[in-house]
Amino acid sequence: MNDPHRVLVLNSGSSSVKYQLLDMRDRSRLATGLVERIGESSSRLVHTPLKGGEPRERTGRIAGHEEALKAAADELAADGLGLDSPELAAIGHRVVHGGLKFSEPTVITDEVLKEIERLVPVAPLHNPANITGIRTAQALRPDLPQVAVFDTAFHTTMPEYAARYAIDVETADAHRIRRYGFHGTSHAYVSRRTAELLGRPVADVNVIVLHLGNGASASAVAGGRCVETSMGLTPLEGLVMGTRSGDIDPAVTFHLKRVAGMSTDEIDVLLNKRSGLVGLCGDNDMREIRRRVDEGDERATLAFDIYIHRLKKYIGAYSAVLGRVDAVAFTAGVGENSAPVREAALAGLEGFGLAVDAGRNAVRSGEPRLISPDDARVAVAVVPTDEELEIAGQTFDLVHN
Ligand SMILES: Nc1ncnc2c1ncn2[C@@H]1O[C@H](COP(=O)(O)OP(=O)(O)O)[C@@H](O)[C@H]1O
Ligand SMILES: CC(=O)OP(=O)(O)O
Ligand SMILES: [Mg+2]
């Protein structure tokens, strides 16, 4: 009989769950799925069996993450890929905040789960969903190893001068306040794939990775090691995001408290859920924003310009941090799909050796590709991220060795 060779990956977000079942003998996907708008009346599950069969969609309220995972398990079972299969080797979980303790993929024990719970205040949108995902999976297959792969892990190589905030050292250390960074699985995968695309060893290549999804972050990766990233103690710092403000003067929060009479919780919701693109123009989907920009909508245009301006500042800053940049790589929903964002982000940066070829930029493809002109000093690439494949690989390596 075959050794167990399948890995289920769960990527539980604040209001969605993405899942993939992979066969690790050839790293192929057996099924993928997405449950979105969890907790709303308009929840939707889309399940795609990849070895025969059409995508299936289910709509109607899915109350919480536990129900979402059970629905996903039912869909897998309907394809003969149920979680009860002896071929399943492990379940891999994306865990957003791993704090200082976790710099490697980790088999989840009660201790590990406790530490992930302790970190809820610094990843309030993400860690609770990750914990529910782990508990539900444990209940379904208590005998299987469950592995946590942390968003923060790749950033633990940041030098102290990049990771430490310039605040009182004793206070910072007492509360473990420092910059952790997130989306690390994606930054690691994309920087590696970018080096492959250039046909050069990772160790020789300096890359700026722009992970532009609903959450968004930039990283500077020197020879495969992260040296700087835009998210901080929590996934709120840095770039303008779908619903998050990114960088602001921290005194804005005191002002909102003292002058506007807002509570800490209200400010938290304002900055995490009612800011960024949605706060600026009412939409957080870049497709819709671009449609409005093309129609001359002023609020959407200003939102787009603010988004691009912030991105440009980070590209400039990370060019200085790296000293020599070999490539800029765009990834995640916006980075992979929005040619106007890529074009605008690099416009005027010829002095940095950065340029986009309009024809190449317009090509739609799921493959890693260059969009810079042949004579460009710095390569510009679109590199689709695959957090699930990366998590599956790390999970399988850990339980197999
Ligand atoms: N064709 C497209 N053009 C522009 N933006 C897109 C397109 N497809 C998706 N997006 C953007 O990608 C975002 C989702 O990115 P994704 O990486 O899936 O985010 P997350 O993992 O944070 O949910 C959407 O909110 C939307 O703004
Ligand atoms: C850490 C983070 O922001 O994740 P996401 O983009 O999935 O919200
Ligand atoms: Mg994402």
Side-chain angles (χ1 to χ4, degrees), residues 11 13 16 18 34 94 126 183 211-216 242 244 277 284-290 307 331-341 364 385 387-388:
N11 179 347
S16 70
K18 295 178 188 166
L34 166 71
R94 175 188 180 209
H126 297 93
H183 295 136
H211 175 108
L212 311 177
N214 217 346
R244 293 173 232 161
L277 293 169
N284 61 342
D285 192 310
M286 191 52 82
R287 285 164 285 203
E288 185 57 18
I289 292 170
R290 279 307 309 178
Y307 183 93
T331 196
V334 176
E336 291 166 28
N337 295 300
S338 180
V341 164
R364 300 193 59 85
T385 193
E387 288 161 296
E388 286 78 16

Side-chain angles (χ1 to χ4, degrees), residues 121-373:
V122 280
L125 301 184
H126 297 93
N127 272 31
N130 305 154
I131 292 164
T132 308
I134 292 167
R135 287 197 196 286
T136 308
Q138 282 177 332
L140 291 169
R141 276 303 295 268
D143 58 314
L144 272 192
Q146 312 268 338
V147 174
V149 177
F150 297 94
D151 258 38
T152 42
F154 182 59
H155 304 299
T156 54
T157 55
M158 273 196 291
E160 186 67 9
Y161 54 75
R164 189 172 274 283
Y165 290 111
I167 62 174
D168 172 71
V169 169
E170 279 76 32
T171 307
D173 289 353
H175 301 284
R176 300 187 181 90
I177 294 170
R178 59 190 284 113
R179 309 188 55 257
Y180 292 91
F182 301 91
H183 295 136
T185 304
S186 176
H187 287 285
Y189 176 82
V190 170
S191 53
R192 217 172 57 232
R193 295 283 295 179
T194 303
E196 282 169 25
L197 183 67
L198 300 182
R200 293 169 59 183
V202 176
D204 293 352
V205 176
N206 289 352
V207 192
I208 298 175
V209 179
L210 304 170
H211 175 108
L212 311 177
N214 217 346
S217 64
S219 69
V221 183
R225 288 166 67 87
C226 176
V227 295
E228 176 61 285
T229 195
S230 60
M231 284 178 165
L233 173 72
T234 79
L236 183 54
E237 193 178 342
L239 300 175
V240 176
M241 310 182 210
T243 66
R244 293 173 232 161
S245 63
D247 297 335
I248 58 165
D249 180 343
V252 169
T253 58
F254 321 145
H255 189 79
L256 288 170
K257 242 181 148 154
R258 293 180 187 137
V259 179
M262 288 175 74
S263 70
T264 304
D265 285 347
E266 285 168 341
I267 298 169
D268 193 335
V269 170
L270 173 76
L271 297 180
N272 273 300
K273 299 196 168 162
R274 293 174 40 223
S275 294
L277 293 169
V278 91
L280 289 166
C281 74
D283 271 310
N284 61 342
D285 192 310
M286 191 52 82
R287 285 164 285 203
E288 185 57 18
I289 292 170
R290 279 307 309 178
R291 199 189 55 71
R292 288 172 57 190
V293 170
D294 291 339
E295 282 175 353
D297 180 306
E298 280 179 26
R299 275 182 68 188
T301 303
L302 181 60
F304 184 80
D305 290 347
I306 294 170
Y307 183 93
I308 295 296
H309 179 68
R310 184 80 52 83
L311 204 48
K312 231 177 234 205
K313 288 206 287 188
Y314 272 91
I315 294 167
Y318 288 8
S319 298
V321 165
L322 287 171
R324 186 201 81 230
V325 182
D326 299 299
V328 173
F330 287 89
T331 196
V334 176
E336 291 166 28
N337 295 300
S338 180
V341 164
R342 297 190 298 256
E343 182 192 326
L346 300 183
L349 299 186
E350 296 80 11
F352 289 76
L354 286 162
V356 168
D357 176 276
R360 289 179 181 172
N361 192 30
V363 172
R364 300 193 59 85
S365 153
E367 294 300 311
R369 60 199 183 275
L370 290 174
I371 58 167
S372 41

